[in-house]
Amino acid sequence: MARRPLPHILSNGSADYARTQIARSRELARTAADSATDVLHPLITVSRGLCRLAAAGRRKWADTPKDKRGPLLFLVASVILVVALVPYGLLLAAITLMAAAAWQGRDRTPSAPEGPDESQIERLQSLYEALVPYFSAPEDPAPLYAHGGKWDKVFTAHEFDDAGRVAHLAIRYPAYFPDGEPEARARVEQLLTAKAGRGREYRFAWDEEGNRLDVTVLAPLPTDFAAQHFVTAPGETVLGLTDPTEVQRTLPLSYGAEQRDVPPVVWRTGLRSTEPHLLALGHPGSGTSTLLRSIALQALRYGDVLIVDGGGTGEYACLTGRDGVLAVECALTGALASLEWAASETERRLIAVNRARQAGDPPPEDTRRPLWIFLDRPTVFDPVAAADGRKDPQSLLQVPLRHGRAANVTVVVAEQFDSAELLSEAVRQHTRARVVLGPVAPQLVEAVLGAPPHTTPPAEVPPGRGYARLGSGPVHRLQVPSTPDPYDDATSETDRQAVLALLPARTCPADAAPTETMETVQTVEAVEPLPVEAVPLEAVDAVRVKTAETVKAVAAESS
């Protein structure tokens, strides 16, 4: 007898159709359940009341002393007999029982009070009085804001949390308020932050056309998620999590045994990216190295990685010798050699892609694999290079930064704020994706990102918490995934195992490259120099003259 074949895996279109059918079935089932509840509500109420009456009767019988239970039973039997003998007695008794059961089975949940209570009214009135100097003018004949006025004329919507503090507030303000001036906005936002409750993050949404200000208290971003494989396409990198109202996409993330859908900040790189390079700034301990490790682990899934660690603290030692990691350099000599190779590799890719396009062929395979260049604190090498008379490592980034998008080369730079002024002009100009981490003043965030954040800074800033802006897009709140150094003793076992699970296989020992280099140097030194015959100076001059005449002849023919 032939067996039935196993069902095939659904394609994207079939999966979307099946998902839509499942959602529709759930909605129909929920609608049917609500309709059945409405139809059977009287029966449910009477049944609940009968159960409560029966429970009350059992409690009354249990509380009655044993010597009085006989007379009580005789009294109940007499009442039942009298009711049975009276005309229509049983019908009246049944109606009375049903009415009592319906009364006992009613929903006794206290209804929520309409409108704010006394403490909330007092808080709203206090906010109204505090806003009077900012939203009033002596020339206004009918001011919205006046001392002793009514708060319900300007607060069109309000919500409170369980602690009694304001969670959402919709405020009307007069049309003559200069809501287009950042200074005027900042004064109102600072006042509302202080009066509505400190220690929380607020989002201020100014509607200049409708003269309306929406104040919303934001929930803190989760910090308990570790590094993991993100469900993204090639060329997409997850920088961290943000608010659900800012992006229209969610990713499934694992929180231990639990899985949630969270909104991510996705950075897109590649040939069609408008912001192919990234700059991250922060204070010590703010999480810039954690961000670079998280991006590097995601980049190793589809490309090659070159890391230059200016701090020299061994933050990226776990990546040494891994598959796809070209080098991890901590010294000036290795950094210069690696960056020179990266610049020449970018030029080689550009030439190969240009030749393929001129011939009408697709780009070669060796130019399609992305190349990532990570630099953590590159300004540390500047004084060392200047003292030794060597080239500045940042000067070698001009070619990858200027032409990296066409060559599928991405540059990620992380630096601290105290050394940000030492970054080269090429780094500042071509890194259009920006990240700011740590406790930073709003003015400094605006100077780095090019736009002010629409939220107030939190009272306590965890590592990896900050803001991100991709190109000319909006400023997002950001929480970087926990990606610590797995070789650090302070790393928890959960985070260590999560990072180690993402690391590629080690293709060669960590000390293989230095040994091979030393052997190559010794071999070169052992080679005897070949004898070279001296050439007369007249012969050299004759060759130079002949070469110059040839170049002039070729130029004349081409013209």
Side-chain angles (χ1 to χ4, degrees):
M1 181 177 180
R3 296 183 178 179
R4 294 183 59 186
L6 295 176
H8 297 282
I9 298 176
L10 295 175
S11 61
N12 292 336
S14 301
D16 295 339
Y17 178 76
R19 197 177 297 110
T20 304
Q21 293 295 328
I22 293 174
R24 186 179 303 173
S25 301
R26 290 178 178 174
E27 185 66 24
L28 291 175
R30 191 179 298 110
T31 304
D34 295 340
S35 302
T37 303
D38 295 338
V39 172
L40 300 177
H41 181 70
L43 181 60
I44 295 174
T45 302
V46 172
S47 301
R48 188 189 305 122
L50 291 175
C51 293
R52 290 177 180 176
L53 291 175
R58 286 195 299 269
R59 288 195 302 270
K60 182 65 176 177
W61 180 261
D63 294 340
T64 302
K66 294 184 178 180
D67 55 343
K68 296 183 179 180
R69 290 183 180 180
L72 179 60
L73 185 60
F74 178 76
L75 178 60
V76 172
S78 302
V79 171
I80 294 175
L81 180 60
V82 171
V83 170
L85 295 177
V86 173
Y88 305 104
L90 294 178
L91 179 59
L92 294 176
I95 294 175
T96 304
L97 181 61
M98 293 297 105
W103 177 258
Q104 290 293 330
R106 72 187 186 279
D107 189 6
R108 301 182 182 181
T109 304
S111 59
E114 297 182 359
D117 55 18
E118 295 182 0
S119 62
Q120 295 173 354
I121 292 176
E122 183 178 357
R123 185 179 290 272
L124 292 175
Q125 187 65 32
S126 175
L127 285 173
Y128 174 82
E129 295 290 342
L131 291 172
V132 169
Y134 298 90
F135 289 150
S136 62
E139 299 83 5
D140 191 355
L144 280 175
Y145 291 83
H147 292 290
K150 297 297 184 65
W151 59 266
D152 53 357
K153 296 190 304 181
V154 296
F155 297 156
T156 58
H158 51 80
E159 296 178 7
F160 292 86
D161 57 10
D162 297 336
R165 297 191 298 179
V166 175
H168 174 72
L169 195 64
I171 304 174
R172 292 175 54 205
Y173 57 86
Y176 53 77
F177 176 75
D179 50 6
E181 299 179 2
E183 295 81 7
R185 288 187 177 189
R187 289 194 296 267
V188 175
E189 292 174 1
Q190 184 178 5
L191 172 68
L192 291 174
T193 302
K195 293 297 182 180
R198 296 184 181 272
R200 301 184 296 174
E201 292 186 75
Y202 294 88
R203 178 184 300 279
F204 298 96
W206 292 84
D207 183 8
E208 300 181 11
E209 183 179 1
N211 300 324
R212 177 187 174 99
L213 171 61
D214 286 338
V215 184
T216 307
V217 178
L218 300 176
L221 295 176
T223 59
D224 55 345
F225 67 102
Q228 53 193 281
H229 282 298
F230 300 106
V231 184
T232 56
E236 293 183 344
T237 303
V238 176
L239 300 180
L241 306 185
T242 186
D243 298 310
T245 57
E246 293 294 326
V247 295
Q248 300 179 355
R249 177 179 178 180
T250 59
L251 289 179
L253 293 188
S254 299
Y255 291 80
E258 184 182 359
Q259 191 172 12
R260 311 177 199 167
D261 291 337
V262 296
V265 178
V266 179
W267 173 39
R268 292 174 176 84
T269 57
L271 300 177
R272 294 176 176 83
S273 174
T274 57
E275 49 277 340
H277 309 295
L278 182 139
L279 173 62
L281 295 177
H283 294 290
S286 59
T288 53
S289 298
T290 298
L291 174 63
L292 261 64
R293 265 192 304 270
S294 175
I295 298 176
L297 291 176
Q298 299 179 60
L300 285 173
R301 298 173 59 186
Y302 306 106
D304 298 326
V305 169
L306 174 63
I307 300 175
V308 176
D309 184 11
T313 57
E315 293 281 345
Y316 307 94
C318 60
L319 297 172
T320 303
R322 301 285 178 176
D323 186 16
V325 180
L326 303 179
V328 179
E329 302 293 346
C330 300
L332 176 61
T333 304
L336 289 174
S338 299
L339 293 179
E340 287 178 357
W341 174 86
S344 62
E345 173 64 13
T346 304
E347 295 176 352
R348 185 197 67 80
R349 291 188 175 203
L350 285 174
I351 295 173
V353 171
N354 188 25
R355 289 177 178 175
R357 290 176 178 174
Q358 291 179 357
D361 299 330
E365 291 293 336
D366 57 351
T367 62
R368 296 182 182 180
R369 185 171 177 83
L371 174 62
W372 292 73
I373 305 174
F374 292 88
L375 295 96
D376 194 353
R377 301 195 63 191
T379 58
V380 175
F381 295 117
D382 293 351
V384 181
D388 295 346
R390 297 186 181 184
K391 188 181 298 185
D392 183 8
Q394 296 188 59
S395 62
L396 300 174
L397 294 176
Q398 292 186 4
V399 174
L401 287 171
R402 293 178 185 273
H403 309 287
R405 182 178 65 175
N408 214 355
V409 177
T410 303
V411 180
V412 181
V413 181
E415 190 53 72
Q416 297 181 3
F417 277 108
D418 53 0
S419 304
E421 66 225 6
L422 300 178
L423 292 173
S424 64
E425 185 64 26
V427 173
R428 298 181 182 181
Q429 182 179 359
H430 295 283
T431 52
R432 299 187 68 250
R434 300 290 181 89
V435 175
V436 176
L437 299 179
V440 185
Q443 297 79 8
L444 189 55
V445 175
E446 182 179 2
V448 176
L449 302 183
H454 299 290
T455 60
T456 58
E460 297 181 0
V461 182
R465 175 68 171 81
Y467 300 93
R469 190 187 186 199
L470 304 178
S472 58
V475 178
H476 301 285
R477 285 202 308 166
L478 180 69
Q479 179 61 50
V480 178
S482 178
T483 317
D485 182 11
Y487 296 161
D488 190 359
D489 296 337
T491 303
S492 64
E493 188 62 25
T494 303
D495 292 340
R496 179 181 291 108
Q497 295 300 327
V499 175
L500 292 177
L502 298 177
L503 290 174
R506 193 183 295 274
T507 56
C508 62
D511 55 349
T515 303
E516 183 181 353
T517 305
M518 293 300 297
E519 292 177 355
T520 306
V521 172
Q522 292 175 2
T523 304
V524 172
E525 292 179 353
V527 175
E528 297 181 358
L530 297 176
V532 180
E533 297 180 359
V535 179
L537 183 60
E538 293 79 3
V540 176
D541 294 337
V543 172
R544 290 179 179 175
V545 172
K546 186 176 180 180
T547 304
E549 293 177 354
T550 305
V551 171
K552 291 181 180 178
V554 172
E557 292 177 0
S558 61
S559 60

